[in-house]
Amino acid sequence: MKTTSRKNKTYRKQATKRERKITLSIIFGIFALVMLLSLYSSLSLLITKNKEQGNQSIKQTSINIEDLSIYYISNENEKTAYLAIFQAVDSLLANQSKSIKDKAITDLHAMAHQENNDFSFNTPGNDSYKSSGLFQISRYYHPTITTEQQNDPYFSANWTLKRLLANNYPSNRSNAIMSHNGTPNIKATKHYLNDINNYINN
């Protein structure tokens, strides 16, 4: 009698509904984690880039140091202040006439002197508004400005000229300059403008 050998067949065990749920949850969890890490990386890169741009000081200028010999410069801080002002004007008023640029340089220099007559870069203001630096930018009114930016003469000059332009400088020069000090046309800001004009004219 011939014996027929029967091969044992093995069948893959079907995953239960619960196991399939767990597997899908793991897959979705991994996918979500990858997406979150990717988003975090992108945001970190963007924040770092913006911070670097915010803190960036544009210290390259087309003005030669010899060009400053035509001005009376009392100290090294004032020399740096002039270079920072020249840079801001050279960058933000590139398409303006020489007379407008010269006027802006004169106004910014007078403002820097009025705010900080020794042209120091990290002197805090004698007020309660967290003011500091060459142009005494207030962190009370401008909380996004960092202390490093306040005390960076290049950033400070660039920021101040941008703000003057936003207040219609040079067409409305007086209003723009007073706005740097506070609310235009009140006693304090009129006095501020008068001091700047006297400094320029003397």
Side-chain angles (χ1 to χ4, degrees), residues 148-182:
E148 290 76 13
Q149 289 170 333
Q150 281 181 303
N151 297 335
D152 181 338
Y154 290 87
F155 178 92
S156 187
N158 199 64
W159 184 92
T160 300
L161 180 53
K162 276 185 179 179
R163 193 158 186 269
L164 289 175
L165 293 171
N167 284 294
N168 298 316
Y169 182 90
S171 60
N172 197 350
R173 171 185 175 272
S174 295
N175 184 76
I177 290 175
M178 284 188 288
S179 293
H180 180 75
N181 185 248

Side-chain angles (χ1 to χ4, degrees), residues 20-35:
R20 285 197 297 272
K21 271 189 174 182
I22 292 172
T23 303
L24 285 173
S25 296
I26 291 171
I27 291 170
F28 281 123
I30 292 171
F31 178 75
L33 181 61
V34 169
M35 292 300 292

Side-chain angles (χ1 to χ4, degrees), residues 48 108 166:
T48 302
L108 286 167

Side-chain angles (χ1 to χ4, degrees), residues 85 88-90 92-94 96-112 135 157-180 184 192-193 196-197 200:
I85 290 166
V89 170
D90 197 39
L92 298 174
L93 296 176
Q96 298 297 325
S97 66
K98 184 178 184 300
S99 61
I100 289 176
K101 289 179 181 179
D102 288 346
K103 182 63 176 172
I105 290 167
T106 301
D107 283 339
L108 286 167
H109 178 259
M111 289 171 67
F135 286 93
N158 199 64
W159 184 92
T160 300
L161 180 53
K162 276 185 179 179
R163 193 158 186 269
L164 289 175
L165 293 171
N167 284 294
N168 298 316
Y169 182 90
S171 60
N172 197 350
R173 171 185 175 272
S174 295
N175 184 76
I177 290 175
M178 284 188 288
S179 293
H180 180 75
Y192 177 78
L193 176 64
I196 286 171
N197 289 335
I200 291 171

Side-chain angles (χ1 to χ4, degrees), residues 67-146:
D67 295 336
L68 299 181
S69 61
I70 62 173
Y71 297 96
Y72 171 72
I73 296 177
S74 59
N75 57 43
E76 288 299 313
N77 282 347
E78 188 175 4
K79 184 188 295 183
T80 302
Y82 257 121
L83 289 172
I85 290 166
F86 271 122
Q87 173 62 51
V89 170
D90 197 39
S91 172
L92 298 174
L93 296 176
N95 297 324
Q96 298 297 325
S97 66
K98 184 178 184 300
S99 61
I100 289 176
K101 289 179 181 179
D102 288 346
K103 182 63 176 172
I105 290 167
T106 301
D107 283 339
L108 286 167
H109 178 259
M111 289 171 67
H113 178 270
Q114 181 64 26
E115 296 287 356
N116 198 335
N117 62 18
D118 64 352
F119 297 95
S120 61
F121 307 140
N122 56 4
T123 301
N126 56 356
D127 53 33
S128 58
Y129 299 113
K130 300 179 181 177
S131 301
S132 185
L134 184 63
F135 286 93
Q136 291 293 294
I137 299 172
S138 168
R139 292 187 64 234
Y140 178 86
Y141 290 110
H142 309 284
T144 59
I145 301 295
T146 66

